[in-house]
Amino acid sequence: TSTFPQILWLGQYKTLIFSVGGVLLGVSGILEYRNRHISCRVEGCVETRNWSMLLWRVSVVFYLIGLLFAYILPVLRLF
């Protein structure tokens, strides 16, 4: 903890951090879904939209992995 003292703060507020992160991922997913069929008039718009959706999906996977290690596995005591 002397190298990275903020780790204690992250542990104390992990529920708040995961809740805010989940809400933000949910809102961004809704926005991605709503805007998936909007016509693109700018060059590169479709590619940017595809990359954005890929990045969102990867973020959701990382969020679920963090959720697994922070909340589910400690309850089950599997690690």
Side-chain angles (χ1 to χ4, degrees):
T1 59
S2 63
T3 305
F4 187 60
Q6 293 83 1
I7 197 92
L8 296 175
W9 184 87
L10 290 173
Q12 289 174 340
Y13 296 106
K14 75 176 178 179
T15 302
L16 177 66
I17 292 168
F18 271 100
S19 299
V20 170
V23 167
L24 291 175
L25 274 173
V27 168
S28 67
I30 290 168
L31 293 175
E32 287 279 349
Y33 182 76
R34 284 181 51 199
N35 294 324
R36 72 189 184 284
H37 293 302
I38 292 178
S39 63
C40 290
R41 295 187 179 134
V42 179
E43 183 180 331
C45 174
V46 175
E47 292 84 11
T48 303
R49 184 182 296 163
N50 292 338
W51 276 105
S52 177
M53 189 53 139
L54 176 68
L55 180 63
W56 181 80
R57 288 178 178 165
V58 169
S59 299
V60 169
V61 168
F62 283 140
Y63 178 81
L64 292 175
I65 290 171
L67 194 68
L68 178 75
F69 280 99
Y71 291 102
I72 298 169
L73 291 180
V75 171
L76 300 175
R77 297 179 190 257
L78 293 178
F79 72 96

